[in-house]
Amino acid sequence: MDFIHIADLHASKARVEPSLCVLDKLYNFISLKEEKPVLLISGDFWDSVMQNTEASGFTKLTSAVKKIIDITTVIFISGTPNHEPEGSLRIFEELGAKVFYDPAIWEFEDFEIVAIPEPRRSNFQCGTIEEQTKQIKESLQSFIDSVPKKTKPRIVMYHGEVEGSVYQNGSNASSPIALSKKQLLTLDADYYALGHIHLPQELWKNCWYVGSCFPKDAGEHHSAGFNFVHIGPKVTSVQRKDFGFAENVTEMVMYQNIDEIKAKKFKGKNLTLKVCLDKLLKKSFNKQELEEEIKEATQAESVRILFEYSEETNIRSDELVAQKSLVDKFKIYCDINDIRYTESTLLKVQEIQDNLVEEAFIPCDTFELEFLSLKGAIGIRDGLGLDEYNIDFTKYENGVLALV
């Protein structure tokens, strides 16, 4: 039996073209095979809710998936709730794919799937986060304990953290509901098709985070691709197949040493260059021309320059933050950036400050916040071990909510 394992496509209106490129390449790969491999999508096909319109790209994306469904079996598990809210995968069920929203065991003719989608906290009604976490862990363990011995080749599809896995930035997975190697090994799978972490990695033999289908931002440096999996009578083999997207590379250099970068080769790669320099030097060259010059010299696919300023600028920035008056902040900001201003401009800034003070004492509008989603906060990652944290205020009485 042959399978293709992908995850974390994160299709959205802004990413229609690379998403279609991935789906077209999968279709072409599958169509050339005499024995059609099963397509496994381990969560986060969508990045967010998309409108069912031609302009959004939704129609093109679902049509591309339908082409694949027409020639082989396609299996989805739901991913992170913020990316794939309830019902967002229903379209693929209607098109003929098999979709799992909750933990389940499903037998196909020649293989079986143990599906473990990412738990949705909204399904666990408890008083505190700790109690909710405990209930989720107990529910996952109860499901794992209920899985019988396999009678045919078995694949585990799981979206979430596994203890020991590593994120792109080098931080270790530390979610309180992460599954352990021991828990997964209990399922005795021939292959573990994992999703959620974008950095491709084999945690142990035939247990793979396949990684995101293409780099989502400049911080993702891996070679994006899919796993082509063959499960034979005695052995499982995995081949890594590249989607062909340009890899992201980040370099840092002092401006006076920029010729060192020009001497390197970044053929076919997207280069992000962090240039350290004094603020005043920024005006001494044309950024676009320098990017083109470096692109030609290094043979990079693209070059983007970001500025990192000297310690002197950082000191002045601290001085700006320390000012309480908006007018004083404005003066220092203009001084740092060598911007000339008039007295009338200062009067306008003063007027803005006066209005802010008035509004602070006389609120014009009020609203009640019911739900909050925090993403990318360093404190959340360090404290709770999560990339995203959701707060449902409807579950709490009036008071102060602190994340420790």
Side-chain angles (χ1 to χ4, degrees), residues 288-354:
Q288 185 174 352
E289 287 182 2
L290 183 60
E291 288 175 337
E292 288 298 323
E293 185 180 333
I294 293 173
K295 179 181 177 181
E296 182 177 354
T298 62
Q299 299 178 10
E301 184 77 15
S302 67
V303 175
R304 181 179 64 151
I305 290 179
L306 302 176
F307 296 112
E308 300 278 339
Y309 299 116
S310 63
E311 187 63 28
E312 179 181 354
T313 302
N314 292 336
I315 292 173
R316 295 303 306 276
S317 298
D318 292 339
E319 182 183 350
L320 187 152
V321 172
Q323 303 303 313
K324 294 183 178 179
S325 164
L326 189 60
V327 173
D328 291 338
K329 288 179 183 290
F330 176 77
K331 288 179 178 179
I332 292 175
Y333 176 82
C334 291
D335 186 26
I336 291 174
N337 292 278
D338 194 24
I339 298 173
R340 300 180 65 179
Y341 56 87
T342 63
E343 190 65 29
S344 61
T345 304
L346 285 180
L347 291 174
K348 185 63 178 177
V349 174
Q350 183 66 56
E351 181 183 341
I352 293 172
Q353 179 172 299
D354 293 342

Side-chain angles (χ1 to χ4, degrees), residues 14 37 87 98 122 127 154 174-175 200 235 240 251 265 283 322 344:
K98 182 63 183 176
S122 59
R154 171 180 290 176
S174 54
S175 167
V235 67
R240 185 75 180 162
E251 295 276 336
K265 296 300 178 188
K283 299 181 179 180
S344 61

